[in-house]
Amino acid sequence: MNDTYRHKGLRLQLIESIRRKGIRDERVLEAMSTVPRHLFLDSSFLEFAYEDKPFPIGSGQTISQPYTVAFQTQLLSVKPGDKVLEIGTGSGYQACILTEMGAKVYTIERQKKLYQKTKSFLPTIGYGTVKCFYGDGTKGLPAFAPYDKILITAAATEFPKALIEQLKTGGFLVVPLGDRNMQTMIRLTKKEDGRLEEERFGAFRFVPLLKNKAND
Ligand code: SAH
């Protein structure tokens, strides 16, 4: 695996900039300083890998901005051994961060080519434990439910009911909710009596969460 001192140095600078922007969970920062983000971008874009910006990964999709990955991961409060369901595999970067934090990760992608690419790529960089699925993530993955945590990495216009059903009592679901242009980051907590507590955390912009799977 091509991860040099130069890459590690760039990564540590990126982590410091994310820390300055307010991410304080050391376990999140530690995971992000371990996963080599440059391997998730085409090698000709190396200089972009350690900027705090989103980046195109093909099929019209993006790898989320590092700050956004850190923000969602921090809200999820992942503990070692947690079973986590991610909606929107994309490049697989976020799934690797969750894995580094000790989670057992299930991830769903609706675009076939992206799913195939990421599923075959992750084992080559040591993240073969991530379980990749092709399908419509708004339906969740009932076969492996319930999940301790659910993370949606695309913009939803409503809370996906199936996902709430697949969340454990006491579990968190983190989702950017809004319209195409802007979303509010929301954390739902499933209470003992089945009630949902809703917390709101600022504005973000994600690619849309789309219904049904795509064939390309
Ligand atoms: N977590 C990713 C970034 C995801 S971008 C990473 O770390 O790189 C959002 C992804 O969600 C895109 O790849 C998009 O195709 C996917 N997506 C959108 N709607 C979806 C759905 N209903 N089910 C599964 N994936 C979906």
Side-chain angles (χ1 to χ4, degrees), residues 4-11 46-47 50:
T4 65
Y5 280 109
R6 175 163 170 258
H7 297 127
K8 288 182 184 132
L10 290 170
R11 203 145 66 233
L46 179 61
E47 68 260 44
Y50 294 112

Side-chain angles (χ1 to χ4, degrees), residues 9-214:
L10 290 170
R11 203 145 66 233
L12 290 181
Q13 284 176 22
L14 172 65
I15 300 313
E16 283 318 305
S17 86
I18 291 174
R19 193 195 295 277
R20 282 196 299 276
K21 289 176 187 169
I23 302 297
R24 290 293 137 81
D25 184 333
E26 289 301 325
R27 292 181 53 247
V28 173
L29 295 167
E30 176 73 34
M32 291 188 67
S33 62
T34 307
V35 179
R37 190 170 189 267
H38 64 280
L39 300 178
F40 295 78
L41 275 60
D42 206 301
S43 58
S44 49
F45 299 120
L46 179 61
E47 68 260 44
F48 297 104
Y50 294 112
E51 288 185 15
D52 192 17
K53 291 185 180 147
F55 202 78
I57 51 170
S59 307
Q61 299 305 326
T62 54
I63 176 171
S64 301
Q65 180 177 346
Y67 173 76
T68 304
V69 171
F71 195 92
Q72 288 202 300
T73 311
Q74 182 167 278
L75 285 183
L76 217 53
S77 184
V78 176
K79 309 274 177 299
D82 273 357
K83 201 201 284 182
V84 179
L85 176 65
E86 180 196 24
I87 312 305
T89 312
S91 69
Y93 177 73
Q94 171 75 70
C96 294
I97 299 294
L98 297 169
T99 302
E100 274 302 327
M101 294 181 70
K104 289 178 277 187
V105 182
Y106 297 77
T107 183
I108 314 178
E109 173 57 55
R110 70 180 286 281
Q111 295 208 26
K112 199 172 197 174
K113 280 204 189 109
L114 202 48
Y115 153 78
Q116 285 166 338
K117 185 175 166 196
T118 301
K119 184 185 166 69
S120 55
F121 168 66
L122 294 182
T124 68
I125 58 163
Y127 292 100
T129 57
V130 174
K131 294 179 183 62
C132 295
F133 296 84
Y134 166 54
D136 177 359
T138 61
K139 298 186 177 127
L141 207 54
F144 300 94
Y147 303 94
D148 296 289
K149 314 277 160 68
I150 299 179
L151 175 60
I152 304 180
T153 69
T157 52
E158 58 188 354
F159 294 123
K161 282 204 184 59
L163 296 181
I164 291 171
E165 276 163 23
Q166 293 171 34
L167 188 63
K168 269 188 202 169
T169 300
F172 292 147
L173 182 148
V174 171
V175 56
L177 192 79
D179 59 26
R180 250 179 192 267
N181 297 319
M182 207 195 71
Q183 304 92 40
T184 303
M185 193 68 77
I186 292 184
R187 179 167 66 187
L188 294 181
T189 307
K190 201 179 212 178
K191 297 293 192 188
E192 294 288 340
D193 58 6
R195 251 182 345 105
L196 294 170
E197 179 188 277
E198 184 178 322
E199 299 167 277
R200 304 180 148 246
F201 300 90
F204 288 81
R205 192 174 180 176
F206 285 75
V207 298
L209 181 72
L210 300 171
K211 295 236 162 73
N212 304 318
K213 55 187 181 183

